Amino acid sequence: MGAWLPSVLLLTCTHVTSVRWFSLVEPRHAAAAGPAVQQLALYPLPAVYLPGSSCTLRNIEPRNIAMAQEQTVFVASLLAGDRRCCAAVGVILGIDDVQAATADSSGQVLASATSNVLMVQCTVLGRVELLSCDNLDAWRTRETYLLANVCEYADDEGDGARSEEGSEEGSEEGSEEGSERKRALDVQELKTDVEDAIYRLIDAVLLEADSADGATGSIDATAAVASLEDAASHVASGRWWEALELWQRHCATRAFALQAQHQADRNEFVIDCKLREGGVLRIPVQEFTLCDEDRLKLMDLDARAKEALEQVGLDDAATFQACLEARSVRERATLLHAGVLREAERLDGRAALQRALGAS
């Protein structure tokens, strides 16, 4: 799709009750290991990756660098804001390529031939459930990476189960086939609903681009529309994970645009404060040198920006984790429909307000 979209939704996830959590500080007693259980390296991090997608991780910690060098696959799981637990359902990431990188003074990671930082390119291979971890102390000591016992996490639908009880087999088989047909019809109806919501959002994005104040929190409308059209095509073809990934990227891009606008306002405020003080202006400005009144105003500006982002109502890491944990296509489709429709209604409402203000 191009470089205009962030690859994942990188939002810190506080404890959300709908997410099933796996403790990183309290041992869990799991069932005995069997043929379906395997032990893999575990990498908790504040991001959600969806099946079929790809990502690039920046490994700076020695234990994560070692993991990338010693393993070919590992489990990535959403890390909670308090760092005491991660999601109980994660994904297997296959390592496609590892390149050396370096971090400059600003924290940016730059490509380099010699470095103690690695850029690790990965592909999501599937979902797994965390059962237990053999070395939880390593999460506290940071001496090495975690090793978790996991099993495959699959959908409940389409298992093809049939009763084998003689005389009742025919009726039960017919009943199950009827249930499967009903599920298929439900998903087909959802396809139509989700497609309609996506095209409604496309219209709203184009209207936003034509509006006078579209610069605030706006995104590249042409790229956004192309991405949403691809998402609608994936929905029509029943490729729900692909559609969800594009929606995840849309939400991340919208959030990034809002955050970038806030950062620009923040920088302008800080520089203005120093100019009012007089003297030589040194960039970057050390915020602790601001007077108490200006520091309070800056904190208020940050709080307002955070509140504004929350009010936008974009799907966040917890929502996409819920998609990952969903056991059926219908559940994921319902979550996608709700998020897209909410964003379309938000943009429609804002456009209506702008028209009303313009007419007054």
Side-chain angles (χ1 to χ4, degrees), residues 19-339:
V19 175
R20 291 200 292 123
W21 296 105
F22 178 90
S23 176
L24 295 172
V25 295
E26 298 177 4
R28 173 185 293 190
H29 300 288
V37 177
Q38 56 181 324
Q39 187 176 79
L40 296 174
L42 172 61
Y43 190 177
L45 70 173
V48 177
Y49 302 99
L50 301 178
S53 64
S54 59
C55 61
T56 300
L57 304 180
R58 293 165 175 169
N59 286 6
I60 298 175
E61 277 196 75
R63 61 178 173 181
N64 296 330
I65 292 174
M67 182 188 68
Q69 294 171 333
E70 297 169 2
Q71 305 292 330
T72 57
V73 298
F74 61 94
V75 175
S77 179
L78 176 64
L79 180 65
D82 61 6
R83 298 181 59 84
R84 293 178 58 83
C85 57
C86 64
V89 176
V91 295
I92 295 180
L93 291 183
I95 298 177
D96 300 320
D97 188 39
V98 179
Q99 297 289 335
T102 186
D104 66 12
S105 59
S106 68
Q108 297 297 315
V109 176
L110 310 173
S112 173
T114 58
S115 173
N116 59 349
V117 178
L118 297 182
M119 296 184 70
V120 186
Q121 296 179 6
C122 306
T123 299
V124 182
L125 304 179
R127 296 180 294 170
V128 291
E129 181 172 6
L130 306 183
L131 302 176
S132 63
C133 184
D134 289 349
N135 61 338
L136 276 182
D137 285 346
W139 182 245
R140 176 181 53 82
T141 64
R142 299 178 180 270
E143 292 179 356
T144 186
Y145 50 86
L146 299 174
L147 291 171
N149 299 307
V150 304
C151 64
E152 181 184 6
Y153 190 83
D155 282 355
D156 289 333
E157 295 181 347
D159 59 5
R162 292 289 185 271
S163 171
E164 297 187 8
E165 295 190 15
S167 61
E168 295 183 2
E169 180 179 357
S171 61
E172 290 191 12
E173 182 174 336
S175 175
E176 184 169 339
E177 288 178 351
S179 297
E180 290 179 357
R181 283 196 296 269
K182 183 178 185 304
R183 284 197 296 268
L185 288 173
D186 288 344
V187 172
Q188 189 58 46
E189 290 178 2
L190 268 173
K191 278 186 181 180
T192 302
D193 292 342
V194 175
E195 282 185 84
D196 289 345
I198 291 175
Y199 282 110
R200 178 178 171 183
L201 177 55
I202 288 173
D203 291 340
V205 168
L206 291 172
L207 185 60
E208 178 191 40
D210 292 336
S211 67
D213 67 341
T216 304
S218 64
I219 57 180
D220 183 335
T222 301
V225 167
S227 179
L228 288 169
E229 287 176 341
D230 284 347
S233 176
H234 288 319
V235 169
S237 301
R239 298 190 295 270
W240 291 100
W241 286 121
E242 289 85 347
L244 279 164
E245 187 204 358
L246 289 175
W247 173 238
Q248 182 186 39
R249 292 185 176 193
H250 179 93
C251 292
T253 302
R254 179 71 73 174
F256 179 81
L258 290 167
Q259 291 163 352
Q261 181 62 48
H262 166 60
Q263 189 61 50
D265 293 341
R266 198 178 193 279
N267 292 342
E268 183 178 349
F269 173 81
V270 170
I271 291 174
D272 181 64
C273 291
K274 299 306 291 185
L275 288 174
R276 283 189 281 105
E277 290 179 5
V280 178
L281 176 63
R282 299 184 183 278
I283 301 295
V285 174
Q286 300 298 321
E287 294 179 8
F288 69 85
T289 64
L290 298 177
C291 68
D292 291 345
E293 181 181 356
D294 286 338
R295 284 206 302 272
L296 287 173
K297 289 180 180 179
L298 189 60
M299 291 174 59
D300 182 64
L301 188 66
D302 290 341
R304 289 175 182 271
K306 181 180 179 181
E307 183 180 351
L309 180 59
E310 292 173 350
Q311 289 178 349
V312 167
L314 292 167
D315 282 342
D316 60 6
T319 301
F320 292 104
Q321 179 64 32
C323 291
L324 201 62
E325 294 185 18
R327 289 281 197 174
S328 70
V329 169
R330 191 179 191 285
E331 290 178 84
R332 292 190 287 275
T334 300
L335 288 166
L336 176 58
H337 178 252

